[in-house]
Amino acid sequence: MAQEVEKKRKKGRTPEEQSLDPAAREMLIRAEQLGLTTAFSRADAMAPCPIGSTGSCCHVCFMGPCRLVKDGQTGVCGATIETITARNFARAIAAGASAHSDHGRDLALTLLAVAKGEAQGYKIRDPFKLARLAEELGIATQGRPVEAIALDVGQACLDMFGQQTGEVRMIERAPAKRKELWRKYKMVPRGIDREVVDVLHRTHMGDDQDPEHILSQGMRAALGDGWGGSMVATDLSDILFGTPSPLVSKMNLGVIKKDEVNIIVHGHEPTLSEMILAATSDPELVEYAKQKGAKGINLAGICCTSNETLMRQGVPSAGNFLHQELAIMTGAIEAMVVDVQCIMQALPDLAQNFHTEVITTSPKVKITKAIHIEFDEHHALDIAKEIVRRAIDNYPNRGEFQIPDFTSDVVPGFSHEYINYMLGGSYRSSFRPLNDAIMSGRIRGVVADVGCNNPRTTQDATHDYLVRELLKQDVLLVETGCGAIASGKFGLLLGEAAMEWAGPGLREVCEATGMPPVLHMGSCVDNTRILTVLSQVVAEGGLGDDISDVPAVGIAPEWMSEKAISIATYCAASGAYVIMGVKNPVEGSQEVTELLSTGWEAKVGGKIEFVVEPQEMVRRALEHIDKKRAALGLPAYDPEKFGRSGDWRMQELMALGPAERAEALYGQPAGD
Ligand code: XCC
Ligand code: SF4
């Protein structure tokens, strides 16, 4: 057996090279033993297309596709490598922005249905946030019933998508200087959908053929995502399902239970998964599960659906992007329920080897061989119950299974509202303490470690390396998406991580506030929370008057999706320095590579650079942070200066169990 496995592996990587995560490694060995493929092995078996991966293949018309491989070569129409790489990049932005924004649109439609009393099982969980958003949107709140406000807010949000002229309202959250810059360059999104259509139009054969001009519209479409579609998604999710605050939960494949009906929710939207969660605690269904021989019903998540349910309800996470196949590989999943985005087509075929049912639910997503039970928010609870019942019925069909015994405790739930409250206290919610800590040098700067897993790299390895190295340098980490799950799996989303990894200054701040040094801020649409924090930090004063002044960096070290390109672009267009790992998708053109970095930096103060080596990512991030500190006239970072105060509070907290510690820190019991 071992020999056979060795032979099959031949050119492939070992499980240790494929993933840093011991749970993943165990499942990768099982995959080999069962003779099943995964994204890891398929990536090993298929090299990326050398032309497409550098952005040098144009297939926007059928005189081509044209593959530009030699210097000075053009397409049949005469398109240059600069135009082709820029067009490909802009189209990726458009697709990514569409995915995020459409998610926001669906939440606006759900809010409208809730306001009209037509959405079974839903209610408005955060009326305060609804009122704040209403005021921002110029909607009257005084003396009006919540439903009436929700109706107007839902409609105003929906209107931002179809708006044709003017400005998308939410850009008002950005610092004044930033808005002026966007206006100067005609980069303010006129409407969320309009800017996406504009990108698709101008990158059609025979339109915009100036790379700088194409990419400028790319930024505009991406801003419509970051300060539009995604921001709507975050705000409305909080209004409908609750604004997150810290809670205790668990991560990794070990959250799958051997003697319960296991249901995994995977994808991105909280709308159905929240109802499935409700259905799993339905006494009738729990009783039904017991009749079928199970001890109960266990819900866990994968990818950003997981982040949504984890942040708000503490539903444990079975893992990030590359765990979707590995979860099925355990043989212990009765149903994997998927909604939209990041769902591998390999799932239904893989599931045929076990008893697992893969259930698609979105009207937009069907997968051949998967079961389709279409979701409709008007009958959400009934549909959720039907799905849970199906999973229970499937429990007796479970065969041999193997669940890796790995979990780690996590404390997620850091919405921008909570961070504000945590730092300033209930009487004086404020970012002042954070600004002060950065200004004094206790915190050297902030890095957002975000984005996907990619089987072209070792799963989680770069996320993990960056986080540990940056913590040592007194850098505060904020995280979303699959990056946050990577940190969670390795115990970094805990106060303990400050003791073990944080530099002396950052550790002092964590001790004083009780916060972990790595803050899980949510799903990928919740990167907008980071934009909001940055804007509020600027408004607080002392760290410049624009986002581009703040000593902060965004890194997506293991990215793979078009959404990641849209996020990187709106962050850069908002003034941030963004580093992307894995591969430069515009490598075919040196000019376009420079346009995205030095070109954009000169124009909007933010830039995207593609860096593959983790050490180099850390070096550049720190260099940027120190450069921004110097520009603000702040003292140079000095690791010797802080951390001489006693660690008694931390030691006291460490002596408690995770649940008691959460209660002591956040004033709420675990899992509440
Ligand atoms: Fe998808 Fe959001 Fe990437 Fe993870 S991080 S692989 S996009 S789930 Ni957004
Ligand atoms: Fe080729 Fe030009 Fe058509 Fe692109 S647009 S496929 S470069 S002919």
Side-chain angles (χ1 to χ4, degrees):
M1 186 95 173
Q3 244 175 354
E4 239 171 75
V5 166
E6 230 15 85
K7 237 198 306 180
K8 258 206 222 115
R9 197 179 280 156
K10 254 196 317 218
K11 272 182 260 151
R13 299 167 295 169
T14 63
E16 288 71 28
E17 291 163 329
Q18 289 172 323
S19 179
L20 185 69
D21 180 347
R25 289 172 179 175
E26 186 182 324
M27 284 300 102
L28 288 168
I29 292 167
R30 178 166 156 89
E32 282 178 325
Q33 286 165 347
L34 297 173
L36 299 172
T37 71
T38 59
F40 297 88
S41 63
R42 291 189 297 272
D44 289 350
M46 183 171 60
C49 165
I51 303 164
S53 67
T54 61
S56 311
C57 173
C58 179
H59 50 96
V60 306
C61 93
F62 287 84
M63 296 188 281
C66 301
R67 309 179 306 162
L68 272 53
V69 290
K70 289 190 218 113
D71 272 356
Q73 200 179 11
T74 69
V76 174
C77 67
T80 61
I81 188 70
E82 288 74 35
T83 296
I84 289 171
T85 48
R87 272 201 303 227
N88 285 333
F89 196 77
R91 287 201 156 206
I93 295 172
S98 300
H100 280 150
S101 299
D102 212 32
H103 170 170
R105 181 198 333 266
D106 280 341
L107 282 156
L109 290 168
T110 304
L111 182 65
L112 281 177
V114 173
K116 291 181 193 153
E118 292 170 356
Q120 186 199 23
Y122 297 101
K123 59 173 195 248
I124 287 156
R125 292 244 188 94
D126 192 342
F128 303 105
K129 186 151 182 167
L130 175 69
R132 281 203 305 279
L133 180 57
E135 272 150 33
E136 241 186 290
L137 297 172
I139 292 162
T141 54
Q142 276 302 322
R144 300 183 70 203
V146 167
E147 292 72 24
I149 302 171
L151 199 63
D152 288 352
V153 167
Q155 192 57 49
C157 288
L158 204 55
D159 288 347
M160 281 185 234
F161 293 88
Q163 194 180 310
Q164 299 303 323
T165 53
E167 299 185 340
V168 164
R169 189 77 181 239
M170 278 173 159
I171 69 136
E172 285 305 329
R173 288 185 186 177
K177 206 169 158 191
R178 183 67 13 199
K179 284 181 288 198
E180 282 323 304
L181 195 74
W182 288 338
R183 286 179 184 130
K184 178 173 147 202
Y185 290 118
K186 294 201 167 36
M187 272 166 49
V188 180
R190 293 158 289 189
I192 298 164
D193 293 353
R194 176 166 184 188
E195 304 311 344
V196 170
V197 171
D198 187 316
V199 169
L200 294 180
H201 178 182
R202 77 172 65 202
T203 56
H204 180 275
M205 192 273 149
D207 283 308
D208 201 354
Q209 280 148 111
D210 176 83
E212 214 257 303
H213 199 237
I214 292 167
L215 290 170
S216 185
Q217 174 59 26
M219 284 199 270
R220 197 179 201 178
L223 288 170
D225 171 359
W227 299 85
S230 280
M231 209 168 249
V232 166
T234 296
D235 276 27
L236 300 191
S237 298
D238 285 354
I239 288 167
L240 283 167
F241 308 116
T243 301
S245 59
L247 36 72
V248 179
S249 189
K250 285 196 187 304
M251 274 188 190
N252 217 342
L253 292 170
V255 306
I256 297 166
K257 301 222 170 110
K258 65 176 192 315
D259 45 12
E260 294 190 21
V261 175
N262 290 305
I263 302 175
I264 300 258
V265 284
H266 167 32
H268 280 77
E269 295 180 345
T271 325
L272 172 62
S273 49
E274 286 278 343
M275 282 304 127
I276 294 197
L277 175 63
T280 55
S281 52
D282 180 282
E284 245 172 74
L285 286 170
V286 174
E287 191 43 45
Y288 187 55
K290 286 185 181 150
Q291 279 170 30
K292 295 280 174 180
K295 284 225 173 95
I297 312 168
N298 179 42
L299 186 68
I302 298 250
C303 275
C304 281
T305 297
S306 178
N307 284 322
E308 299 280 354
T309 47
L310 172 77
M311 288 283 284
R312 299 193 178 85
Q313 326 292 353
V315 173
S317 175
N320 42 8
F321 178 65
L322 286 173
H323 271 40
Q324 56 187 291
E325 291 175 287
L326 307 182
I328 291 179
M329 199 75 71
T330 62
I333 306 300
E334 275 60 53
M336 182 174 278
V337 186
V338 302
D339 48 68
V340 293
Q341 304 166 22
C342 301
I343 302 148
M344 291 193 200
Q345 188 167 358
L347 298 183
D349 264 329
L350 176 65
Q352 312 262 295
N353 297 285
F354 306 94
H355 71 308
T356 308
E357 288 195 338
V358 176
I359 303 174
T360 52
T361 58
S362 165
K364 286 162 217 161
V365 178
K366 275 195 180 185
I367 306 177
T368 314
K369 293 185 206 165
I371 296 153
H372 189 71
I373 302 180
E374 198 153 302
F375 174 64
D376 167 7
E377 70 263 30
H378 299 93
H379 315 283
L381 196 56
D382 291 341
I383 295 166
K385 283 184 184 167
E386 182 192 338
I387 290 171
V388 171
R389 185 172 290 270
R390 245 194 117 96
I392 297 170
D393 283 333
N394 197 20
Y395 181 76
N397 301 328
R398 193 191 286 182
E400 175 269 338
F401 63 88
Q402 178 184 340
I403 302 169
D405 188 18
F406 293 99
T407 58
S408 48
D409 292 323
V410 292
V411 177
F414 291 89
S415 55
H416 46 276
E417 286 89 345
Y418 188 83
I419 295 175
N420 197 299
Y421 160 82
M422 164 180 79
L423 292 168
S426 43
Y427 298 108
R428 205 178 57 91
S429 284
S430 161
F431 278 99
R432 193 69 252 157
L434 177 62
N435 284 33
D436 287 343
I438 295 173
M439 289 166 71
S440 67
R442 269 195 179 80
I443 293 177
R444 185 172 183 175
V446 181
V447 166
D449 171 67
V450 302
C452 323
N453 280 152
N454 186 322
R456 298 280 174 209
T457 69
T458 304
Q459 181 193 19
D460 299 338
T462 319
H463 284 297
D464 195 64
Y465 174 83
L466 292 179
V467 170
R468 290 178 208 271
E469 289 305 310
L470 291 166
L471 287 179
K472 282 188 225 162
Q473 300 291 330
D474 287 308
V475 172
L476 174 68
L477 269 293
V478 294
E479 299 196 322
T480 58
C482 289
I485 301 178
S487 287
K489 289 191 289 179
F490 295 100
L492 291 163
L493 299 181
L494 290 171
E496 286 90 329
M499 279 299 273
E500 204 169 337
W501 293 99
L506 175 62
R507 198 165 78 188
E508 257 184 19
V509 176
C510 292
E511 279 171 23
T513 56
M515 72 179 189
V518 186
L519 303 177
H520 186 344
M521 294 187 69
S523 64
C524 299
V525 294
D526 294 336
N527 281 310
T528 61
R529 295 192 203 276
I530 300 175
L531 296 180
T532 306
V533 167
L534 287 171
S535 302
Q536 291 180 351
V537 158
V538 169
E540 186 61 46
L543 290 173
D545 48 17
D546 197 354
I547 293 173
S548 52
D549 296 331
V550 180
V553 180
I555 313 183
E558 302 178 23
W559 71 283
M560 63 88 201
S561 78
E562 293 169 311
K563 291 177 289 169
I565 291 187
S566 179
I567 294 167
T569 302
Y570 73 63
C571 288
S574 302
Y577 172 31
V578 180
I579 298 173
M580 298 185 87
V582 186
K583 172 89 197 162
N584 173 1
V586 295
E587 193 184 312
S589 166
Q590 184 61 30
E591 189 183 314
V592 170
T593 301
E594 279 166 20
L595 200 54
L596 295 177
S597 54
T598 45
W600 278 7
E601 189 171 33
K603 190 171 173 179
V604 294
K607 60 180 168 181
I608 301 179
E609 285 179 353
F610 301 97
V611 182
V612 179
E613 303 77 22
Q615 294 80 358
E616 180 62 11
M617 290 179 193
V618 171
R619 193 194 66 75
R620 289 198 203 183
L622 292 174
E623 184 181 76
H624 182 83
I625 284 171
D626 291 343
K627 189 177 85 187
K628 292 292 171 187
R629 293 189 64 88
L632 287 166
L634 301 179
Y637 167 70
D638 173 8
E640 299 299 310
K641 200 167 162 197
F642 299 104
R644 308 219 183 273
S645 73
D647 289 339
W648 62 271
R649 167 77 174 149
M650 200 41 113
Q651 270 154 18
E652 197 178 75
L653 288 168
M654 288 306 107
L656 302 170
E660 292 79 15
R661 185 158 54 242
E663 178 142 25
L665 289 174
Y666 313 115
Q668 71 175 207
D672 191 34

